[in-house]
């Protein structure tokens, strides 16, 4: 007789999945439609300042609004939308835009090193749809630090961090021959970048990212985008949070193409962009990375495709990278 006893070993403990996500359902707008004349930057800022819950600010497709636009503190339960007048001619919801769609977009462009869009403390419920966000400041002697900035990076209390911010079918890009450090500085409570296209985010001598969050608690949704940046295409952490014990949490990264442009390889100064990895966590938890393509990076300043390691400069000893689930991804053409 043979008796077979079961092992007392327990199976591996699986990482905790995101416990919240960003609802990107299109709202029904019930407020005022605020049409802004083509290229009128002052009128655009005035429309932003006047907008209340349910309003829609409409910019003229094919025109450029040059300036540094500030999103003020708001108290909304409904959404304020900023959209292109050509929205109906753009791909529908759940379909990614690209450079070929720019003729149906309105352009918001910074002419200097300051952000094109700057979210002030306590701003909330803003959705940007069908827009090009870029810069006309072409230089390698200095840097456009953020195309989109959240002042939440300086918040010392979660309550003042901008909340419920969505970039939907947006073409966000730098210039081929200039320094742009960050596409979206996503220090948000509830933030999303969906169906969008990010390109030419690069800098010589410093890290650059399409999406970076340091002092944003989340949740975050990064879905169905094309993301092309030289440093880290997506990064959580990279500096110490200002809010005690803050860890960016509940991060969903699904269905994206995340890559470097191979034409950047071997460029001479001043275009020798700092090239690192495609996803990096220095402070983040409960992360789902599913159904993405990670491709085209090379050994220069780093040689990983994905890098998960908690790092603090010493003022945030709580920093952690934990509970990462990576499923159904294709990783190719990388060291």
């Amino acid at each position: 007789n043979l008796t077979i006893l079961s092992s007392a070993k327990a199976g591996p403990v699986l990482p905790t999945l995101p416990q919240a996500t960003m609802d990107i359902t299109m709202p029904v707008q019930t407020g005022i439609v605020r049409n802004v004349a083509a290229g009128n930057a002052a009128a655009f800022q005035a429309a932003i300042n006047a907008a209340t819950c349910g309003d829609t600010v409409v910019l003229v497709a094919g025109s450029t609004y040059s300036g540094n636009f500030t999103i003020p503190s708001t108290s909304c339960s409904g959404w304020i939308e900023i959209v292109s007048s050509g929205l109906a001619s753009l791909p529908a919801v759940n379909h990614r835009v690209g450079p070929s769609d720019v003729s149906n977009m309105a352009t918001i462009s910074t002419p200097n090193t300051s952000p094109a869009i700057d979210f002030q403390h306590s701003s909330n419920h803003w959705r940007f749809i069908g827009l090009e966000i870029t810069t006309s400041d072409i230089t390698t002697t200095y840097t456009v630090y953020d195309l989109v900035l959240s002042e939440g990076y300086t918040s010392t209390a979660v309550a003042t961090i901008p909340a419920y911010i969505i970039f939907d079918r947006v073409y966000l890009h730098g210039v081929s021959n200039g320094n742009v450090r960050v596409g979206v500085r996503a220090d948000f409570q509830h933030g999303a970048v969906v169906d969008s296209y990010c390109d030419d985010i690069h800098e010589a001598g410093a890290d650059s990212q399409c999406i970076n969050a340091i002092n944003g608690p989340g949740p975050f949704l990064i879905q169905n985008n094309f993301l092309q940046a030289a440093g880290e295409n997506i990064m959580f952490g990279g500096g110490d949070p200002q809010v005690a014990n803050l860890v960016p949490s509940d991060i969903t990264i699904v269905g994206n193409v995340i890559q470097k442009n191979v034409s950047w390889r071997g460029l001479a100064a001043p275009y020798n962009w700092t090239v690192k990895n495609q996803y990096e966590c220095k402070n983040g938890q409960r992360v789902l990375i599913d159904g993405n393509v990670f491709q085209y990076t090379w050994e220069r300043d780093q040689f990983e495709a994905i890098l998960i390691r908690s790092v603090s400069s010493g003022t945030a000893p709580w920093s952690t990278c934990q509970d990462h689930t990576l499923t159904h991804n294709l990783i190719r053409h990388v060291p």
Side-chain angles (χ1 to χ4, degrees):
N1 294 323
L2 177 64
T3 300
I4 300 176
L5 302 177
S6 64
S7 169
K9 283 186 176 181
V13 177
L14 295 177
T16 302
L17 289 167
Q19 300 298 290
T21 190
M22 183 69 181
D23 184 357
I24 58 171
T25 304
M26 286 293 293
V28 176
Q29 296 298 90
T30 58
I32 296 171
V33 175
R34 300 177 181 273
N35 291 292
V36 181
N40 191 328
F44 178 30
Q45 184 65 64
I48 291 171
N49 295 342
T52 59
C53 304
D55 286 3
T56 302
V57 177
V58 181
L59 306 181
V60 177
S63 66
T64 297
Y65 300 82
S66 179
N68 308 112
F69 301 98
T70 298
I71 307 300
S73 172
T74 45
S75 180
C76 278
S77 55
W79 290 89
I80 301 171
E81 293 183 351
I82 300 178
V83 307
S84 168
S85 65
L87 183 59
S89 298
L90 289 171
V93 171
N94 298 323
H95 292 76
R96 184 188 304 154
V97 296
S100 62
D101 295 303
V102 74
S103 62
N104 292 310
M105 296 176 171
T107 300
I108 302 172
S109 179
T110 173
N112 49 45
T113 60
S114 296
I117 300 169
D118 188 344
F119 291 92
Q120 298 298 289
H121 294 107
S122 301
S123 55
N124 69 80
H125 283 89
W126 291 82
R127 186 168 186 147
F128 293 73
I129 313 173
L131 304 171
E132 179 186 26
I133 302 174
T134 187
T135 179
S136 60
D137 193 15
I138 303 172
T139 180
T140 55
T141 58
Y142 47 88
T143 298
V144 179
Y145 289 100
D146 307 277
L147 293 177
V148 174
L149 174 66
S150 166
E151 294 292 341
Y153 82 100
T154 65
S155 292
T156 56
V158 169
T160 65
I161 296 174
Y164 296 96
I165 309 297
I166 298 177
F167 291 90
D168 176 356
R169 287 166 287 164
V170 168
Y171 176 32
L172 182 90
H173 66 97
V175 291
S176 63
N177 53 348
N179 287 328
V180 175
R181 184 169 295 178
V182 179
V184 178
R185 182 80 63 182
D187 290 316
F188 300 135
Q189 308 174 67
H190 289 83
V193 180
V194 298
D195 301 334
S196 294
Y197 196 105
C198 175
D199 197 6
D200 273 324
I201 306 298
H202 43 55
E203 184 175 1
D207 292 11
S208 53
Q209 304 91 26
C210 274
I211 301 170
N212 174 239
I214 295 171
N215 200 44
F220 299 96
L221 176 63
I222 302 171
Q223 177 175 289
N224 190 37
N225 304 291
F226 177 91
L227 303 174
Q228 188 159 255
E232 305 84 5
N233 299 49
I234 302 171
M235 184 162 72
F236 289 91
D240 289 349
Q242 298 300 302
V243 176
N245 300 311
L246 186 145
V247 178
S249 302
D250 303 314
I251 300 163
T252 302
I253 302 171
V254 293
N256 303 282
V257 174
I258 302 169
Q259 68 174 46
K260 314 294 185 194
N261 186 335
V262 294
S263 70
W264 297 340
R265 188 172 185 172
L267 292 178
Y271 308 121
N272 53 329
W273 317 125
T274 296
V275 172
K276 290 193 173 180
N277 56 70
Q278 293 164 328
Y279 168 80
E280 181 165 351
C281 173
K282 290 185 175 179
N283 187 25
Q285 64 182 351
R286 299 192 300 274
V287 182
L288 173 64
I289 301 175
D290 180 83
N292 304 282
V293 177
F294 295 90
Q295 62 185 4
Y296 304 121
T297 189
W298 52 92
E299 183 176 359
R300 187 178 181 275
D301 300 281
Q302 283 178 344
F303 46 81
E304 297 89 358
I306 295 171
L307 183 58
I308 302 172
R309 57 172 184 175
S310 59
V311 176
S312 166
S313 65
T315 62
W318 62 84
S319 296
T320 185
C321 288
Q322 61 186 13
D323 292 303
H324 275 62
T325 300
L326 291 88
T327 46
H328 311 114
N329 299 289
L330 176 61
I331 304 175
R332 63 186 180 184
H333 308 300
V334 301

